[in-house]
């Protein structure tokens, strides 16, 4: 008997197994061509077939070499379950099947290198928001509004808001006049397209999101803003009118800012804001990570870097305190646009979020224009799996704590709170946004759901999540020109636009029954929960 | 749904007029509260118009607590009107043992103080008395202010008036301004403090409706001023905002409406004062009200105002005959006390409108 090599990797060790039905397969080769991970290959197998063709059984045995589709038994080429083979197969002959007996996590650290992947955390799927219901419904004494016909003011602030007594107003003949400039505040749609950089996304995917943003603004009067992500933007966009829809992000790597700064004198309009990224919820304590595989020529050009792994540091070098951050970063970013553009900060939710928020609220310069809290269920283009799955903090209770802390000081609304990280995780971003707003956020930011609308098939159960490889089968998180071609920009943008229009209707459908025509920021009385612990933690009503 | 009303007159009138204004509208309330605030008084208090008048309902022990506190804090009693209730078991009223309406003189060392300092003292005194009575569950204090009397009771307004002998006009109790409410208490247990109108440092207010932004209003107001307490009713929010805008921020009255029902952003951008209104909207967003509301208020100078929510979901009407102007939730109230007025001149305030009636009974109305 031949000795079994017990330590060899077999297909049965991999997270997904390819199920191919030879009787349906015509050997057209489409699946092999479509698989970006080279998880399958054409192969020749020796087959022994018993045939009997006469009217009486006269079995004869035939040995032949047949062509077939075979899954590679290699960790490097493990199937991700993306299902492109199934999508392209004309005969429904092939599909990936989840392998519950996978030994992948034991084998994939070969060479001493941590597992890297994109997507969202795969372990933290229990969601607080799903246990919250909008329970305070207007009935007779305070009639519900008509979501179809009533006008709603669905806008949220981006920028530093002063306390009423701090407003530079003086009364002349019974009329108040502003006597000094206020910090800039832009009132925008309460949903921001979150920061996903060119590099993390393909140019076509990024363009689709940008196109959807412009379309929503110009055709549907929905002032949605998009954050550039770290890594800069095309100069053409920086010098266009559409820059007003963009929030420029600066992160610890400062990638792309050289070109942004150079473009400032040529800008026709101001950007919608500046977002200083301190951290992200999907991999808190990690900087940005753009693997060399994704640093294509145009990424090198925009960022001004060679083809190499681009790793932003986990923090902004040279800053050691919140106070110093405020003074150096916020002031310089405010000054860059002559104090006309609001500057906000994005941090990963953490045990210290409330301290940071308090510190910013009490900043005597009043220059922080927003606090973006990013929770553990946020997505990423590339991260060490250990960070993605095992670090982070849920965003809901932290947002609530920040809000209530501001309430205690009478400073709510002064630094608008924006929450993200898993908003729209179950596909219903409007409900999630509404609930977080009732708990005290001014608005939310969405990322992963946008790329899912573009065609991303990744999920929280280990499907695909290969954003880090540069082999994104949907052409979204890759710079390979052949893969990028797979993405139809217009169709992708259309999907986002249609989703956002539906989301807008859904927001109205939630505002109308609680009788609110403007956003119910902090209206925690509108929410109830069937979970006592959540009721206690969030200070909302417990119902059963 | 509550019913609210107000009367302003060039001549002193008896509070029974306010009851006649309210009773035709009675189907809208459940006798869970009746209250009125009188300002610019005649009768028993006429000699002490500049001296603070304390209005409270309490037990015997409560009365003693108040007396001791006032004495210890150097307030000297000047006059007193204690209504002797009609004891009749058939009356629908949950009366307290004592109703005290008493004028005090300021403490010696406050005689020359500024009006502002006196106003702060009166507020602090009322808050201290409230705390004192509340802690021992011995009573309720409603107002402490010169020339202002507050009467609150739970029961049928007709029976309440009978109890206080308010149907007998003997000249004891007269005023030029009255704000009044009959309450339909839907929100919570019946609480004596919850009966409108509410009073704070010369500002009186009652409202008919629901404030769906109650929680965010309350969370914000709590930290704005020590006098913003209680929150027994969502209508208190409107009073505190009125007080905050006029008394604390010292903004002109027209900005009250811009705070409680701010214009939509797209309308703000079309206004010449858009920058100011936008600044106000964003800084005072937590004081916005939403939901169906009508507000009637009285200012320290005696002017009476009314305005509605931004959708005008609650009714209100203003009418007058040259000597008296009244505001009511329903026109039947006006018909009861001003049957001879020219109804064609009645004003039905709109959702973006504010109506003010001054001492000369001139009706000023403007669009927000």
């Amino acid at each position: 008997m031949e000795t079994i090599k017990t330590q060899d990797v077999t297909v049965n060790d991999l997270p997904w197994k390819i199920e191919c039905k030879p009787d349906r397969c015509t050997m057209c080769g489409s699946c092999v061509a479509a698989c970006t991970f080279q998880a399958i290959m054409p192969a020749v197998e020796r087959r022994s077939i018993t045939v009997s063709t006469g009217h009486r059984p006269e079995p004869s045995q035939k040995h032949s070499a047949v062509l077939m589709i075979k899954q590679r038994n290699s960790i490097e080429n493990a199937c991700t379950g993306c299902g492109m083979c199934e999508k392209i197969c004309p005969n429904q002959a092939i599909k990936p099947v989840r392998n519950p007996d996978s030994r992948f996590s034991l084998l994939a650290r070969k060479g001493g290198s941590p597992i890297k992947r994109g997507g969202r955390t795969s372990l933290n799927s229990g969601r607080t928001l799903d246990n919250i219901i909008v329970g305070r419904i207007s009935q007779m004494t305070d009639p519900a509004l008509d979501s179809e016909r009533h006008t709603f003011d669905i806008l949220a602030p981006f920028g530093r808001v002063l306390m009423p007594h701090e407003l530079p107003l003086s009364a002349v003949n019974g009329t108040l006049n502003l006597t000094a400039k206020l910090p800039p505040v832009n009132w925008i749609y309460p949903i921001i397209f979150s920061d996903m950089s060119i590099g993390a996304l393909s140019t076509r995917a990024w363009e689709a999101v940008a196109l959807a943003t412009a379309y929503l603004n110009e055709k549907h009067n929905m002032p949605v803003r998009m954050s550039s992500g770290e890594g800069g933007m095309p100069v053409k966009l920086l010098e266009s009118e559409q820059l007003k829809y963009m929030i420029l992000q600066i992160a610890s790597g400062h990638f792309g800012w050289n070109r942004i700064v150079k473009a400032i004198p040529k800008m026709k309009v101001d950007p919608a804001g500046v977002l200083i990224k301190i951290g992200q919820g999907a991999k808190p304590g990690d900087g940005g990570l753009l693997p060399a595989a994704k640093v294509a020529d145009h990424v090198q050009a925009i960022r001004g870097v060679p083809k190499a792994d681009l790793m932003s540091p986990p923090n902004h070098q040279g800053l050691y305190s919140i106070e110093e951050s405020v003074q150096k970063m916020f002031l310089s970013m405010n000054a860059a646009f002559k104090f006309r553009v609001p500057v906000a900060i994005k941090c990963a939710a953490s045990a210290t979020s409330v301290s940071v928020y308090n510190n910013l609220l009490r900043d005597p310069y009043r220059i922080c224009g927003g606090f973006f809290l990013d929770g553990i269920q946020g997505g990423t283009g590339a991260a060490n799996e250990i960070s993605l799955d095992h670090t982070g903090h849920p965003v809901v209770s932290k947002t609530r704590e920040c809000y209530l802390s501001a309430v205690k000081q009478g400073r709510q609304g002064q630094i608008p709170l924006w929450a993200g990280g898993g908003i729209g995780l179950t596909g219903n971003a409007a409900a999630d946004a509404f609930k977080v707003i009732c708990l005290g956020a001014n608005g939310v930011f969405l990322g992963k759901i946008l790329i899912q609308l573009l065609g991303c098939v990744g999920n929280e159960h280990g499907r695909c999540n290969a954003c880090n490889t540069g082999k994104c089968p949907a052409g979204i998180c890759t710079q390979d020109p052949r893969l990028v071609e797979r993405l139809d920009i217009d169709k992708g943008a259309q999907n986002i636009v249609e989703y956002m229009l539906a989301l807008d209707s859904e927001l109205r459908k939630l505002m109308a029954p609680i009788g609110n025509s403007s956003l119910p920021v902090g209206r925690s009385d509108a929410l109830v929960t069937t979970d006592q612990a959540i009721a206690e933690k969030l200070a909302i009503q417990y119902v059963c | 749904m509550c019913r609210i009303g107000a009367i302003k007159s060039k001549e002193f009138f008896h509070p029974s007029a306010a009851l006649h204004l309210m009773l035709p509208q009675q189907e809208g309330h459940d006798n869970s509260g009746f209250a009125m605030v009188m300002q610019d008084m005649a009768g028993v208090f006429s000699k002490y118009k500049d001296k603070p008048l304390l209005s409270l309902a309490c037990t015997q022990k409560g009365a003693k607590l108040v007396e001791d506190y006032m004495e210890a804090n150097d307030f000297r009693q000047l006059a007193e009107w204690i209504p002797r209730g009609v004891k009749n078991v058939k009356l629908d009223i949950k009366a307290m043992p004592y109703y005290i309406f008493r004028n005090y003189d300021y403490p010696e060392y406050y005689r020359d103080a500024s009006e502002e300092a006196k106003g702060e003292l009166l507020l602090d005194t009322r808050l201290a008395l409230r705390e004192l009575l509340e802690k021992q569950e011995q009573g309720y204090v409603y107002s402490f202010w010169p020339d202002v009397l507050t009467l609150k009771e739970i029961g049928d307004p007709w029976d309440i008036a009978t109890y206080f002998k308010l149907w007998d006009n003997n000249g004891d109790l007269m005023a030029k301004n009255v704000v009044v409410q009959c309450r339909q208490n839907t929100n919570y247990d019946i609480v004596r403090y919850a009966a409108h109108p509410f009073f704070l440092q010369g500002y009186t207010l009652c409202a008919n409706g629901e404030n769906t932004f109650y929680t965010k209003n309350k969370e914000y107001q709590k930290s704005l001023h020590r006098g913003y307490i209680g929150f027994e009713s969502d209508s208190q929010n409107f009073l505190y905002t009125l007080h905050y805008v006029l008394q604390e921020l010292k903004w002109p009255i027209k900005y009250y409406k811009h705070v409680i029902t701010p214009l939509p952003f797209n309308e703000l951008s079309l206004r010449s004062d858009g920058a100011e209104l936008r600044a106000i909207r964003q800084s005072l967003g937590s004081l916005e009200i939403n939901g169906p509301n009508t507000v009637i208020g009285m200012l320290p100078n005696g002017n009476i105002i009314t305005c509605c929510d931004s959708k005008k979901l609650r009714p209100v009407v203003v009418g007058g005959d040259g000597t008296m102007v009244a505001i009511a939730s329903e026109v039947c109230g006006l018909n009861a006390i001003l049957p001879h007025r020219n109804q064609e001149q009645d004003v039905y305030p709109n959702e973006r409108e504010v109506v003010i009636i001054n001492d000369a009974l001139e009706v000023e109305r403007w669009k927000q």
Side-chain angles (χ1 to χ4, degrees):
Chain A
M1 187 183 283
E2 195 179 357
T3 306
I4 300 169
K5 291 173 184 157
T6 54
Q7 282 158 322
D8 278 0
V9 174
T10 65
V11 167
N12 198 32
D13 292 325
L14 302 180
W16 297 82
K17 289 204 295 199
I18 293 293
E19 199 176 277
C20 184
K21 296 177 183 158
D23 54 326
R24 299 191 71 102
C25 176
T26 61
M27 298 305 295
C28 71
S30 300
C31 55
V32 174
C35 179
T36 60
F37 307 104
Q38 295 176 9
I40 46 177
M41 61 179 183
V44 179
E45 273 185 357
R46 182 171 178 267
R47 298 267 169 86
S48 166
I49 309 167
T50 306
V51 273
S52 172
T53 50
H55 59 275
R56 276 199 339 216
E58 286 173 24
S60 69
Q61 220 164 27
K62 205 171 123 190
H63 293 278
S64 62
V66 292
L67 277 166
M68 46 87 66
I69 303 297
K70 192 176 174 187
Q71 182 174 5
R72 285 182 210 267
N73 49 358
S74 119
I75 292 293
E76 291 73 28
N77 300 102
C79 170
T80 65
C82 74
M84 290 299 147
C85 51
E86 188 180 8
K87 247 180 203 166
I88 203 164
C89 176
N91 282 1
Q92 295 167 305
I94 188 167
K95 66 175 181 189
V97 177
R98 191 184 292 276
N99 175 18
D101 302 314
S102 164
R103 297 179 67 237
F104 187 78
S105 60
L106 299 172
L107 304 171
R109 292 178 179 87
K110 214 170 81 178
S113 173
I115 303 173
K116 290 187 178 58
R117 66 171 177 87
R120 279 192 283 233
T121 171
S122 295
L123 298 181
N124 301 282
S125 52
R127 292 201 337 148
T128 307
L129 290 175
D130 298 330
N131 290 304
I132 296 175
I133 310 162
V134 180
R136 201 279 197 192
I137 306 299
S138 300
Q139 292 295 290
M140 287 179 78
T141 57
D142 51 339
L145 303 173
D146 184 332
S147 71
E148 303 293 329
R149 297 170 187 83
H150 196 79
T151 50
F152 292 84
D153 232 2
I154 305 183
L155 290 176
F158 188 105
R160 181 61 180 244
V161 174
L162 297 186
M163 296 278 280
H165 65 265
E166 294 170 341
L167 290 175
L169 288 168
S170 75
V172 182
N173 299 329
T175 298
L176 292 172
N177 297 300
L178 279 170
T179 54
K181 270 182 76 171
L182 295 172
V185 181
N186 291 330
W187 284 85
I188 61 177
Y189 201 76
I191 285 166
I192 288 174
F193 291 167
S194 190
D195 24 316
M196 296 181 286
S197 65
I198 298 176
L201 299 189
S202 68
T203 44
R204 284 170 81 100
W206 200 90
E207 189 181 336
V209 181
L211 194 62
T213 307
Y215 196 87
L216 285 165
N217 275 279
E218 292 175 7
K219 299 288 181 193
H220 292 287
N221 203 22
M222 269 174 79
V224 173
R225 297 292 175 262
M226 169 181 171
S227 173
S228 65
E230 180 180 24
M233 293 202 312
V235 171
K236 208 170 165 184
L237 178 53
L238 287 169
E239 294 176 8
S240 77
E241 292 277 350
Q242 279 67 33
L243 181 65
K244 62 186 177 216
Y245 308 137
M246 304 300 298
I247 295 167
L248 302 178
Q249 182 174 91
I250 182 160
S252 55
H254 300 190
F255 291 124
W257 267 80
N258 195 21
R259 294 205 339 167
I260 291 174
V261 171
K262 280 185 183 157
I264 288 177
K266 293 179 191 159
M267 286 180 185
K268 288 194 190 73
V269 292
D270 286 331
V274 173
L275 184 60
I276 303 175
K277 187 188 87 171
I278 305 292
Q280 62 269 284
K283 42 172 173 169
D286 266 355
L289 170 56
L290 189 67
K294 292 171 81 173
V295 186
D297 289 347
H298 61 272
V299 178
Q300 294 170 35
I302 292 177
R303 300 194 176 195
V305 291
K307 187 172 180 68
D309 282 350
L310 300 183
M311 287 178 282
S312 302
N315 52 28
H316 289 259
Q317 305 296 303
L319 298 177
Y320 72 93
S321 68
I322 308 174
E323 297 82 355
E324 198 186 6
S325 300
V326 166
Q327 290 183 31
K328 275 191 188 161
M329 296 225 45
F330 286 91
L331 210 50
S332 57
M333 285 299 120
N334 276 284
F337 294 95
K338 297 196 166 63
F339 296 87
R340 292 189 311 258
V341 174
V343 179
I345 181 178
K346 174 178 166 178
C347 290
S350 94
T352 57
S353 296
V354 180
S355 318
V356 175
Y357 190 51
N358 280 341
N359 210 311
L360 293 171
L361 276 173
R362 295 170 199 160
D363 147 44
Y365 306 100
R366 301 188 192 99
I367 48 181
C368 176
F371 191 50
F372 283 53
L373 263 177
D374 198 9
I376 190 169
Q377 283 160 335
T380 180
N384 290 302
E385 192 176 64
I386 191 117
S387 307
L388 207 45
D389 280 350
H390 299 279
T391 61
H393 201 299
V395 76
V396 177
S397 61
K398 265 310 149 203
T399 307
R400 184 74 176 142
E401 279 173 28
C402 283
Y403 176 75
L404 290 178
S405 170
V407 164
K408 219 181 238 177
Q409 305 164 65
R411 292 174 187 269
Q412 60 266 52
Q414 275 198 275
I415 295 184
L417 268 173
W418 289 75
I423 303 293
L425 183 61
T426 55
N428 300 310
D432 289 355
F434 186 83
K435 292 170 189 176
V436 180
I437 287 171
C438 283
L439 290 170
N442 292 87
V444 299
F445 46 98
L446 304 176
K448 190 84 207 302
I449 194 171
L450 299 178
I451 61 170
Q452 287 174 312
L453 289 165
L454 294 181
C456 164
V457 295
N459 65 17
E460 295 66 54
H461 309 294
R463 189 177 184 203
C464 200
N465 290 339
C467 329
N468 59 313
T469 60
K471 295 173 184 166
C472 171
I476 297 166
C477 295
T478 174
Q479 307 301 336
D480 182 332
R482 289 165 305 167
L483 296 179
V484 170
E485 281 294 318
R486 291 183 179 181
L487 181 75
D488 182 332
I489 298 177
D490 295 329
K491 182 80 178 74
Q494 189 184 343
N495 286 351
I496 294 177
V497 167
E498 285 171 4
Y499 187 89
M500 288 301 291
L501 293 178
L503 179 147
D504 189 52
S505 296
E506 287 169 347
L507 270 185
R508 288 158 202 260
K509 279 278 174 204
L510 291 169
M511 287 168 72
I514 66 161
N516 283 170
S517 49
S518 56
L519 280 181
V521 180
R523 256 210 77 183
S524 53
D525 61 303
L527 304 179
V528 299
T529 174
T530 50
D531 183 309
Q532 201 148 16
I534 289 175
E536 264 169 45
K537 180 69 190 166
L538 300 181
I540 59 175
Q541 210 183 121
Y542 169 68
V543 294
C544 59
Chain B
M1 187 164 116
C2 301
R3 295 295 190 273
I4 52 176
I7 303 173
K8 186 164 183 63
S9 170
K10 286 180 179 169
E11 294 162 5
F12 290 103
F13 62 92
H14 186 255
S16 56
L19 285 151
H20 286 299
L21 177 75
M22 300 312 290
L23 287 174
Q25 310 174 53
Q26 195 170 0
E27 71 182 30
H29 52 85
D30 66 353
N31 303 338
S32 59
F34 167 82
M36 59 183 182
V37 173
M38 304 166 74
Q39 187 171 315
D40 197 352
M41 319 255 311
V44 288
F45 303 111
S46 56
K47 276 197 279 180
Y48 307 104
K49 284 174 83 77
D50 61 333
K51 304 295 186 214
L53 171 58
L54 181 67
S55 301
L56 64 96
C58 60
T59 61
Q60 195 169 5
K61 191 176 169 197
K64 178 81 172 66
L65 286 171
V66 171
E67 265 167 36
D68 291 348
Y69 180 89
M70 296 306 271
E71 205 177 297
N73 287 277
D74 302 324
F75 281 98
R76 193 164 58 84
Q77 185 181 324
L78 296 174
E80 186 175 60
W81 179 68
I82 296 189
R84 304 283 170 216
V86 175
K87 305 291 180 200
N88 185 337
V89 285
K90 284 180 191 160
L91 293 180
D92 174 10
I93 175 171
K94 291 181 181 135
M96 292 289 290
Y98 282 97
Y99 294 85
I100 296 173
F101 303 94
R102 190 179 284 156
N103 280 116
Y104 284 97
D105 203 354
Y106 290 99
E108 190 81 38
Y109 47 91
Y110 262 89
R111 300 264 158 84
D112 301 322
S114 66
E115 286 306 310
E116 208 171 316
K118 284 181 179 168
E120 297 301 300
L121 170 74
L122 296 183
L123 172 64
D124 285 332
T125 306
R126 178 172 66 80
L127 294 178
L129 289 176
R130 174 169 172 158
E131 200 187 336
L132 199 65
L133 292 171
E134 214 161 43
K135 222 183 260 172
Q136 306 198 30
E137 296 180 354
Q138 297 298 331
Y140 307 85
V141 54
Y142 301 119
S143 61
F144 187 36
W145 201 255
D147 215 12
V148 168
L149 182 147
T150 306
L151 177 72
K152 290 193 182 189
E153 193 42 82
I154 297 165
D156 184 307
W158 185 283
D159 289 353
I160 291 169
T162 306
Y163 183 82
F164 289 108
K165 298 177 190 153
L166 290 184
W167 298 120
D168 316 330
N169 184 357
N170 60 7
D172 273 4
L173 213 52
M174 304 289 278
K176 281 187 179 170
N177 305 310
V178 172
V179 180
V180 60
Q181 191 221 28
C182 290
R183 186 166 173 75
Q184 168 79 29
N185 192 345
T186 44
N187 300 359
Y188 17 68
D189 292 342
I190 293 171
V191 177
R192 208 167 276 262
Y193 271 126
H196 315 193
F198 303 102
F199 181 86
L200 179 65
Q201 288 193 319
Y203 296 85
T204 306
L205 188 139
C206 60
N208 166 25
E210 302 284 326
N211 175 13
T212 56
F213 274 171
Y214 168 70
T215 300
K216 60 185 280 191
N217 283 182
K218 174 181 160 180
E219 282 177 346
Y220 194 62
Q221 288 173 336
K222 268 184 159 177
S223 62
L224 281 181
H225 193 272
R226 68 189 189 287
Y228 303 166
I229 59 155
F231 298 101
E232 292 90 2
S233 162
D234 50 4
S235 302
Q236 271 162 316
N237 296 138
F238 310 139
L239 170 70
Y240 296 153
T241 297
L242 182 70
H243 178 270
Y244 186 65
V245 170
L246 272 68
Q247 182 78 11
E248 294 299 302
L249 295 175
K250 308 213 180 303
W251 288 354
I253 174 86
K254 73 175 178 186
Y255 293 97
Y256 177 55
K257 190 88 170 89
H258 284 293
V259 171
I260 59 171
T261 61
L263 292 171
F265 284 99
N266 56 2
E267 282 185 43
L268 290 183
S269 60
L270 304 172
R271 300 259 302 215
S272 57
D273 57 352
E276 285 80 8
L277 297 184
R278 204 173 115 114
I280 290 171
R281 175 166 190 180
Q282 66 196 24
S283 282
L284 286 149
S286 297
L287 295 182
E288 181 186 346
I289 60 162
N290 235 268
N293 278 291
T294 289
V295 170
I296 295 177
M298 181 158 50
L299 308 181
N301 63 6
N303 285 0
I304 287 182
I305 70 165
T306 186
C307 56
C308 310
D309 62 84
S310 59
K311 304 161 200 88
K312 172 105 173 143
L313 291 166
R314 285 284 192 270
V316 68
V317 55
V318 183
D321 64 359
T323 310
M324 182 182 272
V325 174
I327 307 175
S329 302
E330 294 177 21
V331 76
C332 60
L334 296 188
N335 293 344
I337 63 164
L338 293 163
H340 310 303
R341 77 190 191 286
N342 181 356
Q343 284 204 26
E344 285 178 12
Q345 288 180 357
D346 285 355
V347 176
Y348 289 85
N350 225 323
E351 68 265 21
R352 290 287 178 203
E353 203 171 18
V354 180
V355 176
I356 288 200
I357 304 150
N358 65 15
D359 278 345
L361 299 196
E362 291 160 344
V363 176
E364 189 186 347
R365 49 196 292 213
W366 71 82
K367 280 276 176 197
Q368 177 181 355

